[in-house]
Amino acid sequence: MKNFIVLVAAVCIACTTAFAQTVKPFKEGERAVFLGNSITDGGHYHSYIWLYYMTRFPTMNLRMFNGGIGGDTAFDMNKRLDGDIFCLEPTVLMVTFGMNDSGYFEYNGDKPREFGEQKYQESIKNYQQMEKRFKELPDTRIVMLGTSPYDETVKIEGNVPLKTKNETIKRIVEYQKLSAAENKWEFTDLNAPMTALNQQFQQKDPAFTLCGRDRIHPDNDGHMVMAYLFLKAQGFAGKAVADAEINAGKKQAVKSENCTISNIKMIGKELSFDYLAEALPYPLDTIARGWEQRKSQAEAVKVVPFMEEMNREMLKVTGLKGSYKLLIDGEEIGIWNADELAAGINLAKETKTPQYQQALTVMRLNEYRWEIERTFRDYAWMQFGFFQQKGLLFANDRKAIEVMDDNLEKNGWVKGHRDNYTRLMSEAVRDARKQEIEILINKIYEVNKPVTRKIQLRQN
């Protein structure tokens, strides 16, 4: 028990340290690009972050981009900065690397420490080339993002951990932090707090991990934890969706934070009022989405206090007696007694509310957008992970097809990307897909506007 208490304390310390340097919130008109490897490429964390802004700031004109490519190191990222990242005209650039840079199987060889040192030195040398390029971007805010960890401690049958690999990764993250300080860039770390959470929950369940079945790639719950940690670094902990308090006896709105309360009436045993929030609750997907993902985004709330810290749509009503049925726009939400209403209920937890259902539509549109964007990342992998080395970067011609087909049996990644590439190699197809993304984004910012809701508390 004593060890567990010490571990929990360590988790708190790690999380506090991780957010000692904060990241500025995104602003109106910004273009935020997340540069990374497969964790960014195939992952959801950046999409979950944007979903927060879509629901919390429904009028903010903002764009976020997936800039990840599977298998990339800092060396690979540097080669595609112009053709893949800078061409997106980022006003904010999040930079994360280290998982591939730190190496793999040699950690279980004869000289793991020497191997780790070699990979660390290579990684820093390669990063320094990118650092020079970032310094040439006076109009782009740079954010160093310490990568999610390699989980060495989870018990996975048939998967032997690469011992000390995450130690090398942590050294790379520390160098990122120093680089950020020297260049007056921003920094936040995902590695330390996620490692601490893994170890905390492994006390009860040795098979628990936020880093996926391969110890590397987080499932949807891990990506939501990453989004939570990033949003916390941006200072959103404690920021409510809305916070309303009504004194039923006086028919007065005592509190209306981020919302407007009007037309309060008490007729017989029914209290009613109009409620216009300035934001929507954050919708948590309960379906596992993405290639070979098994967990849902919603499972993250078992691990981090996202609901308590960032997803509170509070309704507090005093001056009532008995129990009351809550209806919003005529839809029955639930029954609460007077004491519970006086203490306050979190409407963001109630998935039946019209505003939550509205937010679900935003979430589904955003997921569709993410799926289309992923096809562009697979196309980018073919360009920068294969054709660039063949001298055929953006050739998109018959010669490219011939070279690709000659390598299908030698390279499983090329084989897996062939179908997608043969579609997106046509500029007209790419343009059509980009237009589809814009249609989805426009639709999101059309349906995400909060509307006035009629709330009734009817004595049960």
Side-chain angles (χ1 to χ4, degrees), residues 203-421:
Q203 290 281 328
K204 292 185 177 180
D205 178 9
F208 174 88
T209 183
L210 293 169
C211 299
R213 289 170 293 152
D214 60 0
R215 306 175 184 270
I216 297 169
H217 297 94
D219 211 309
N220 290 305
D221 61 336
H223 277 279
M224 183 60 204
V225 169
M226 293 166 69
Y228 159 80
L229 292 171
F230 187 86
L231 291 167
K232 188 165 185 173
Q234 288 192 315
F236 289 116
K239 305 291 185 182
V241 176
D243 195 348
E245 181 180 346
I246 295 171
N247 185 312
K250 295 182 178 180
K251 293 184 285 188
Q252 289 182 349
V254 179
K255 187 184 210 181
S256 54
E257 180 183 325
N258 214 43
C259 64
T260 301
I261 305 294
S262 60
N263 200 26
I264 303 173
K265 296 178 181 178
M266 189 73 182
I267 301 175
K269 296 181 178 180
E270 179 177 297
L271 173 72
S272 66
F273 55 91
D274 293 334
Y275 166 72
L276 175 60
E278 295 178 21
L280 295 176
Y282 188 96
L284 287 158
D285 200 351
T286 57
I287 297 173
R289 302 186 192 272
W291 184 63
E292 290 197 343
Q293 300 290 61
R294 295 186 177 185
K295 296 182 180 180
S296 73
Q297 175 195 19
E299 292 187 49
V301 300
K302 301 173 184 177
V303 182
V304 292
F306 175 76
M307 294 299 295
E308 295 79 7
E309 291 186 359
M310 298 184 194
N311 203 23
R312 297 172 71 252
E313 186 183 11
M314 300 304 298
L315 174 62
K316 182 177 181 180
V317 183
T318 59
L320 298 175
K321 293 181 180 180
S323 63
Y324 286 79
K325 183 183 295 183
L326 172 65
L327 299 97
I328 303 181
D329 291 349
E331 180 75 25
E332 182 177 334
I333 308 304
I335 297 173
W336 286 267
N337 63 41
D339 289 341
E340 291 169 327
L341 289 166
I345 59 175
N346 185 1
L347 293 177
K349 292 182 178 181
E350 306 301 322
T351 59
K352 291 181 181 179
T353 69
Q355 58 267 37
Y356 193 92
Q357 292 298 311
Q358 182 183 356
L360 281 177
T361 299
V362 176
M363 180 199 77
R364 290 164 184 150
L365 288 165
N366 188 44
E367 186 66 24
Y368 189 14
R369 178 205 60 80
W370 175 87
E371 290 172 0
I372 298 173
E373 185 180 39
R374 279 287 304 111
T375 66
F376 279 95
R377 298 322 302 159
D378 288 343
Y379 170 76
W381 186 93
M382 284 295 294
Q383 295 294 350
F384 297 98
F386 179 71
F387 286 125
Q388 189 174 44
Q389 288 81 351
K390 304 292 183 181
L392 292 167
L393 184 63
F394 296 124
N396 292 336
D397 55 14
R398 173 48 54 186
K399 176 64 176 177
I401 292 289
E402 291 172 356
V403 171
M404 176 180 65
D405 286 348
D406 286 343
N407 284 268
L408 291 183
E409 300 308 317
K410 306 176 203 173
N411 190 323
W413 288 101
V414 171
K415 189 173 184 178
H417 287 84
R418 186 189 190 282
D419 183 54
N420 183 70
Y421 172 73

Side-chain angles (χ1 to χ4, degrees), residues 55-81:
T55 51
R56 192 57 57 91
F57 305 104
T59 63
M60 182 182 289
N61 179 25
L62 181 65
R63 291 292 186 274
M64 293 192 194
F65 299 89
N66 179 345
I69 285 186
D72 263 14
T73 63
F75 176 81
D76 301 310
M77 293 175 194
N78 190 51
K79 291 193 301 179
R80 63 181 173 91
L81 288 178

